[in-house]
């Protein structure tokens, strides 16, 4: 009688009660937060991870403490026999699978020449092949579910070249997951299986891609847990959709997104995630008014005029909040240098080399300089799309975004 468990459930509150979710890479980060959110709804959660480390058992404990039932399964997603064994363990324990979250991921951000083929094979085996294999293995049980879901933590496919430069192998691997979503959504439509993708708009703290990014300009992984839950409980059930995390939430009426910031005071300086463009819906709209009337073709000729006008928008408060020096190199037929000193006095924007050591060095074409300091488009947009080279403290780039935004707002 020890296994007897009786609970009166309000189905309007716990929509996923008794449902079984299989989550790859579920022991930490985004996978863990999705597991805990489903557990609070009374779901059975299978935490699949590569190694039998304490983290996997801690997450299972936390799942059960949150109100769900948990199971830890150790599997290397690259090996079919291990995946089959793990899925069979889940079915034996809980009787089936209703939700599959393809979250396991590997990352290698190197250019083609420097890429080790072992790393290339790893990221593709884990991301693209792993997603295909686990979905294939779970499919017979998903077909039997009354409300089956497959959710891939994969980006919307963005073919701008900037997202491939210096990361071709990784782009192939992640877009492989995305293509699984596109193909399987239609292939499984007849089985009523809802296949979708979810991706963070901004970098998530402690995520694989956040190694060199300050935590305060990141969001917490809890936003991905809440967004996944919103997708799983949405009616009518979506099929073949690519959701950004905040988009999935705002479509359900959520308005307070600041609570997901590691530091809410940095809400306007969050770092865009890989493969996400500054779409203008939430992040930033292109400023319609320019700092002054200068055509892009005249950028280098009118450099002094642009700098003088932009400097006139600085104040001591901006210096106090920035405390950085930015060295800028404008490339092209007429290369020039300029620097922004927002560490001293009331701030300065000058032509030439900074007399004091700069915190960050920026290299850009004249049209990118024009976009930032005439049109007021955030420099990080150019960086994330491969049009701006950065050396030094990359977190300072978000501070420069803030400088551009606040200065242009004064016009």
């Amino acid at each position: 009688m020890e296994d007897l468990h009786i609970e009166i459930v309000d189905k309007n509150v716990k929509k996923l009660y008794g449902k079984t979710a299989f989550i790859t890479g579920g022991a930490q980060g985004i996978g863990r937060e999705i597991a805990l959110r489903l557990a609070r709804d009374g779901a059975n959660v299978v935490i699949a991870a590569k190694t039998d480390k304490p983290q996997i058992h801690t997450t299972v404990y936390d799942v059960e403490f949150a109100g769900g039932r948990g199971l830890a399964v150790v599997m290397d997603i690259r090996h079919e026999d291990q995946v089959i064994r793990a899925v069979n363990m889940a079915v034996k324990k809980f009787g089936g699978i209703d939700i599959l979250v393809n979250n396991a991921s590997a990352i290698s951000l190197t250019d083609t020449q420097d890429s080790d083929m072992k790393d290339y094979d790893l990221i593709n085996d884990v991301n693209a092949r792993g997603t295909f294999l686990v979905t294939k293995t779970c499919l017979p049980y998903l077909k039997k579910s009354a409300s089956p879901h497959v959710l891939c933590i994969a980006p919307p496919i963005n073919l701008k070249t900037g997202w491939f430069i210096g990361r071709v192998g990784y782009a192939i691997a992640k877009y492989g997951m995305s293509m699984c979503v596109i193909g399987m959504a239609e292939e499984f439509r007849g089985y009523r299986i809802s296949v979708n993708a979810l991706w963070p708009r901004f970098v998530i703290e402690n995520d694989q891609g956040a190694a060199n990014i300050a935590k305060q300009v990141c969001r917490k992984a809890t936003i991905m847990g809440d967004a996944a839950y919103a997708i799983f409980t949405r009616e009518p059930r979506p099929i073949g959709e690519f959701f950004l995390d905040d988009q999935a939430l705002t479509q359900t009426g959520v308005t307070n997104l600041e609570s997901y910031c590691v530091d809410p005071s940095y809400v306007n300086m969050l770092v865009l995630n890989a493969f996400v463009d500054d779409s203008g819906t939430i992040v930033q709209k292109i400023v319609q008014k320019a700092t002054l009337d200068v055509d892009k073709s005249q950028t280098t000729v009118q450099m002094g005029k642009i700098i003088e006008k932009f400097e006139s928008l600085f104040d001591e408060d901006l210096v106090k909040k920035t405390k950085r020096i930015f060295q800028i190199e404008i490339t092209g037929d007429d290369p020039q240098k300029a620097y922004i000193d927002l560490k001293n006095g009331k701030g300065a924007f000058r032509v030439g080399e900074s007399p004091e050591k700069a915190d960050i060095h920026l290299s850009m074409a004249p049209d990118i300089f024009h976009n930032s300091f005439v049109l007021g488009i955030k420099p990080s947009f150019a960086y994330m799309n491969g049009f701006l080279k950065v050396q030094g403290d990359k977190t300072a780039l978000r501070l420069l975004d803030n400088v551009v935004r606040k200065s242009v707002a004064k016009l």
Side-chain angles (χ1 to χ4, degrees):
M1 298 293 292
E2 291 181 354
D3 294 331
L4 182 62
H5 179 77
I6 300 175
E7 181 176 350
I8 297 176
V9 179
D10 183 349
K11 292 183 178 180
N12 292 320
V13 177
K14 294 189 173 183
K15 297 179 181 180
L16 300 181
Y17 183 86
K19 302 291 185 183
T20 298
F22 190 99
I23 305 177
T24 66
Q28 58 187 340
I30 290 170
R32 171 184 164 84
E33 291 302 328
I34 293 175
L36 294 179
R37 181 62 188 89
L38 303 190
R40 291 199 298 273
D41 227 41
N44 308 318
V45 185
V46 182
I47 304 298
K50 181 183 177 182
T51 55
D52 191 18
K53 291 182 178 179
Q55 284 177 318
I56 188 173
H57 300 290
T58 300
T59 299
V60 168
Y61 174 84
D62 291 341
V63 160
E64 296 185 339
F65 186 79
R69 298 171 66 199
L71 173 67
V73 294
V74 177
M75 72 173 199
D76 188 328
I77 201 170
R78 296 172 294 177
H79 299 300
E80 185 174 9
D81 59 335
Q82 294 188 31
V83 172
I84 292 172
R85 181 182 62 83
V87 170
N88 287 341
M89 288 175 62
V91 173
K92 183 177 180 180
K93 174 77 171 180
F94 297 123
I97 295 175
D98 303 287
I99 296 170
L100 168 60
V101 180
N102 287 307
N103 170 67
S105 182
I107 186 171
S108 178
L109 301 179
T110 54
D111 59 28
T112 303
Q113 184 66 49
D114 295 331
S115 294
D116 188 306
M117 289 312 297
K118 289 183 179 179
D119 292 336
Y120 179 89
D121 290 341
L122 172 65
I123 59 177
N124 279 278
D125 283 350
V126 172
N127 289 286
R129 185 180 183 276
T131 293
F132 188 94
L133 172 58
V134 178
T135 307
K136 175 181 181 293
T137 307
C138 290
L139 184 57
Y141 307 103
L142 291 166
K143 287 180 180 179
K144 297 176 183 178
S145 172
S147 182
H149 288 268
V150 176
L151 185 67
C152 297
I153 308 306
I157 294 180
N158 185 337
L159 296 180
K160 288 188 176 179
T161 57
W163 293 120
F164 292 85
I165 298 170
R167 63 178 87 192
V168 174
Y170 181 62
I172 292 170
K174 292 309 291 187
Y175 284 172
M177 294 180 71
S178 304
M179 287 188 283
C180 282
V181 173
I182 295 170
M184 292 173 179
E186 289 304 314
E187 186 177 332
F188 302 166
R189 187 182 289 270
Y191 304 129
R192 303 171 295 99
I193 300 175
S194 177
V195 182
N196 299 285
L198 175 63
W199 191 245
R201 184 185 297 273
F202 296 111
V203 173
I204 300 295
E205 67 166 331
N206 299 325
D207 197 26
Q208 290 175 321
N212 298 315
I213 298 175
K215 287 187 176 182
Q216 63 263 34
V217 291
C218 298
R219 275 179 171 166
K220 295 179 285 188
T222 50
I223 191 171
M224 290 292 284
D226 290 346
Y229 178 81
I231 293 169
F232 295 143
T233 57
R234 185 169 176 165
E235 292 293 345
R237 293 189 301 138
I239 295 179
E241 297 287 341
F242 282 80
F243 293 96
L244 295 178
D245 49 7
D246 48 25
Q247 174 194 30
L249 291 171
T250 55
Q251 288 179 358
T252 63
V254 175
T255 56
N256 179 19
L257 297 174
E258 288 189 18
S259 62
Y260 294 111
C261 297
V262 174
D263 185 342
S265 67
Y266 282 78
V267 66
N268 293 317
M269 291 181 275
L270 299 175
V271 176
L272 282 169
N273 198 17
F275 310 112
V276 179
D277 280 342
D278 196 338
S279 62
T281 54
I282 291 179
V283 190
Q284 170 178 328
K285 296 178 180 178
I286 295 176
V287 179
Q288 297 301 316
K289 52 188 179 181
T291 52
L292 68 169
D293 186 18
V294 174
D295 187 81
K296 276 189 179 183
S297 63
Q298 295 294 306
T299 298
T300 54
V301 176
Q302 299 286 344
M303 183 71 66
K305 186 177 179 182
I306 295 171
I307 287 174
E308 181 181 359
K309 177 62 178 179
F310 208 87
E311 184 191 65
S312 70
L313 303 171
F314 293 168
D315 57 34
E316 291 181 359
D317 184 60
L318 194 60
V319 173
K320 187 184 300 183
K321 291 181 178 179
T322 307
K323 292 293 182 183
R324 298 288 194 283
I325 294 177
F326 307 85
Q327 181 66 54
I328 301 170
E329 179 183 352
I330 296 94
T331 61
D333 295 334
D334 182 18
Q336 297 192 40
K337 290 184 178 181
Y339 68 91
I340 299 174
D341 181 353
L342 286 172
K343 185 179 284 187
N344 303 295
K346 294 183 179 180
F349 199 165
R350 299 282 191 274
V351 173
E353 192 87 26
S354 171
E356 190 174 337
K357 183 179 178 181
D359 298 282
I360 183 171
H361 292 257
L362 311 172
S363 178
M364 65 186 78
D367 61 326
I368 302 302
F369 184 89
H370 184 279
N371 285 347
S372 296
F373 300 106
V374 176
L375 299 182
I377 300 174
K378 293 192 289 190
S380 63
F381 182 44
Y383 172 67
M384 297 299 285
N385 282 278
F387 302 120
L388 172 65
K389 293 182 179 179
V390 177
Q391 290 183 327
D393 179 12
K394 290 185 174 63
T395 61
L397 190 59
R398 277 294 163 184
L399 294 173
L400 185 58
D401 283 349
N402 198 40
V403 170
V404 170
R405 182 181 62 85
K406 287 193 171 183
S407 298
V408 174
K410 294 177 182 178
L411 295 171

